[in-house]
Amino acid sequence: MNERQEEARFRRRAVKVDDAMEMVIAAAVPGRRENVPLWEAGGRRLAESAAATTDWPPFARAGLDGFAVRSADTALASPGSPATLRVVAAVAAGELASAEVAPGTAVRIMTGGAVPSGADAVVMLEQTADARLDGQAAVRVKSAARPGQNVAPRGEEFRRGSVFAGPGELLRPGHVALLGTFGYAGVPVYARPRVAVLATGAELLPVEAPLAPGRIRDSNSAMVAALIGQSGGVPVMLGRVPDEHEAAARAVADALARCDMLITTGGVSVGDYDVMATLLRGIGIGEAAADGEARQPQLSPQLPPDSRLLFNKAAMRPGAPTSAAIVSGKLLLALSGNPGACFVGFELFARPAIARLQGASPEQARPKQATARLVGGFAKGSPHERFVRARLYAKNGVLYADPLAFGKSSMLASLPSADGLIRLKPGASGAAEGEIVDVILL
């Protein structure tokens, strides 16, 4: 490491969390698309607009069981003086009536049936009574029917060609019903991004290995993989890379050749063996020189020359060394090796990026936030924005945020219980009990 790189290790400029988030979201551009069977489309995002392929309903249909009539024939009907109409046919859903409704006649009809020609209303069964007229089946209608009563006209909901879902729309079960209605057996959606997971650190052991002095098991990779799956991505596990610059560079290049995005854990701090920090410094030395002129980036030979550093420090606790870069046109997100900081970094940056790769808009990709009343207070201040793991609960219509114990960046115990992150503003003091705070919903 030369003198200039040594100085750069300690001169990392902290980027505000919201600014860093915007950079990451902007770098994650939706790309790959695929067609999936209709039954698999729920929860995916459309890759192109979906439109009605026919008017809907495609014919005037009955809204309930009853009789299709001409409203004019029932204009004077009442319980005491019903209108008696001859029944000329019956029609069920999926059938067509064998006769039209002429003056003085009616057709028995079931819910969803096609309203026969000549009829302009349907009288519900409960407002009628069976009768005979000149020895033939008839019906007594006990109330006047309005034109259009209990009839869904053709095209009432959709006209052919009208768009009912646009690109990037999250497909809910109701969308799936519409897609099926209009014949979409295959649905064009954004592909689930393949997200590579790579751990660094000589101290890491495989999960199945027995513990050894000074060593710990690699729990971060499995946690990140679970978070990727929860976010809609497909984790690609690449194991661990040695704390060696050339090996890390090759591993990064290989991961991004195979996947849509890469998440690394560990190696981003300022220690002598923090390999990801060293690697990212190599693409970040194009910052302004002391004389005001920009220097050209000094890249490792294994990284393409168009690699670009987004940031190598975020103004946050925990996880300040979190870093991001664009390599081969794809996003590299380097998270802390401390489990708590890794978890927070994923929620702030990786989850939004994965959502964006699946077609979410930048606004949709951002973490969901709310406000909550703080339980118990949090006295510790920070020069940077602090993210505190919390349990959220509602009581009497008020959302509460209860900070969890074991909240240090290296601690694991509170991770399973965290369903929110309290956002504490930078300052000398934390936040008092009962104060209203922003929370990110997990």
Side-chain angles (χ1 to χ4, degrees), residues 1-2 21 34 39 70 81 141 165 180 182 191 238 246 255 257 278 296-297 306 318 346 353 377 400 411 429 435:
M1 185 184 303
N2 62 38
M21 194 182 299
E34 61 184 1
W39 62 272
R70 291 161 49 93
S81 181
V141 179
F182 293 119
L238 299 183
E246 299 288 331
T278 301
Q296 293 298 315
D306 60 349
F346 186 97
Y400 289 88
M411 291 181 169
S429 59
E435 188 173 329

Side-chain angles (χ1 to χ4, degrees), residues 1 55 93 101 103 106 109 120 129 173 187 276 382 405 420 428 437:
M1 185 184 303
D55 291 344
V101 177
I109 195 166
D120 66 350
V187 183
M276 290 307 301
S382 169
V437 293

Side-chain angles (χ1 to χ4, degrees), residues 367-373 392 399 421-423 436-441:
K368 301 296 182 289
Q369 288 201 174
T371 56
R373 191 176 299 280
L392 304 180
L399 183 65
L421 294 174
I422 301 169
R423 296 190 71 165
I436 300 299
V437 293
D438 292 327
V439 293
I440 291 175
L441 308 178

Side-chain angles (χ1 to χ4, degrees), residues 53-391:
T53 55
T54 183
D55 291 344
W56 193 262
F59 50 81
R61 63 181 180 181
L64 42 72
D65 294 343
F67 289 86
V69 301
R70 291 161 49 93
S71 58
D73 289 343
T74 69
L76 300 177
S78 67
S81 181
T84 303
L85 306 174
R86 185 164 53 91
V87 178
V88 295
V91 58
E95 298 179 354
L96 296 178
S98 59
E100 67 175 26
V101 177
T105 67
V107 168
R108 177 79 168 94
I109 195 166
M110 312 304 168
T111 302
V115 177
S117 177
D120 66 350
V122 172
V123 178
M124 66 189 303
L125 191 64
E126 291 82 354
Q127 294 175 344
T128 67
D130 292 338
R132 302 292 294 180
L133 185 63
D134 298 330
Q136 294 182 325
V139 62
R140 290 191 180 94
V141 179
K142 302 176 184 179
S143 63
R146 303 181 310 277
Q149 177 178 302
N150 300 321
V151 174
R154 175 174 178 160
E156 179 183 41
E157 294 185 71
F158 296 97
R159 289 293 183 183
R160 181 179 179 179
S162 60
V163 174
F164 60 85
E169 186 139 8
L170 181 66
L171 294 176
R172 305 179 188 279
H175 291 106
V176 174
L178 287 175
L179 289 162
T181 293
F182 293 119
Y184 287 83
V187 183
V189 296
Y190 285 104
R192 297 187 188 277
R194 288 169 52 84
V195 183
V197 181
L198 184 65
T200 71
E203 76 280 10
L204 297 179
L205 292 167
V207 172
E208 66 275 12
L211 287 176
R215 309 287 296 277
I216 59 173
R217 295 187 181 99
D218 174 23
S219 60
N220 277 347
S221 291
M223 177 181 73
V224 169
L227 289 165
I228 291 169
Q230 186 189 71
S231 304
V234 179
V236 179
M237 308 303 286
L238 299 183
R240 292 163 301 285
V241 66
D243 293 329
E244 194 274 314
H245 186 89
E246 299 288 331
R250 286 193 300 271
V252 167
D254 177 64
L256 290 175
R258 297 168 53 188
C259 298
D260 302 299
M261 176 180 168
L262 168 62
I263 297 176
T264 67
T265 64
V268 290
S269 193
V270 296
D272 292 342
Y273 299 99
D274 284 316
V275 66
M276 290 307 301
T278 301
L279 185 62
L280 292 174
R281 276 196 302 275
I283 64 173
I285 295 180
E287 300 173 354
D291 57 7
E293 296 181 2
R295 293 192 177 99
Q296 293 298 315
Q298 299 178 8
L299 300 176
S300 289
Q302 289 79 18
L303 294 180
D306 60 349
S307 300
R308 179 164 60 91
L309 181 71
L310 297 178
F311 58 89
N312 61 5
K313 186 176 183 180
M316 57 187 277
R317 293 286 188 274
T322 301
S323 306
I326 299 174
V327 179
S328 301
K330 298 175 182 177
L331 180 63
L332 160 61
L333 187 60
L335 302 180
S336 171
N338 281 325
C342 179
F343 179 84
V344 170
F346 186 97
E347 294 294 343
L348 295 181
F349 306 117
R351 190 182 294 276
I354 294 171
R356 181 73 178 122
L357 287 170
Q358 293 175 90
S361 69
E363 181 59 37
Q364 292 167 336
R366 295 185 188 100
K368 301 296 182 289
Q369 288 201 174
T371 56
R373 191 176 299 280
L374 189 61
V375 177
F378 194 88
K380 188 174 181 180
S382 169
H384 296 313
E385 190 172 13
R386 182 179 289 276
F387 293 84
V388 181
R389 286 166 261 170
R391 181 177 69 91

Side-chain angles (χ1 to χ4, degrees), residues 35-58:
N35 261 52
V36 298
L38 175 63
W39 62 272
E40 290 184 1
R44 306 292 292 274
R45 290 188 182 271
L46 268 181
E48 57 189 60
S49 294
T53 55
T54 183
D55 291 344
W56 193 262

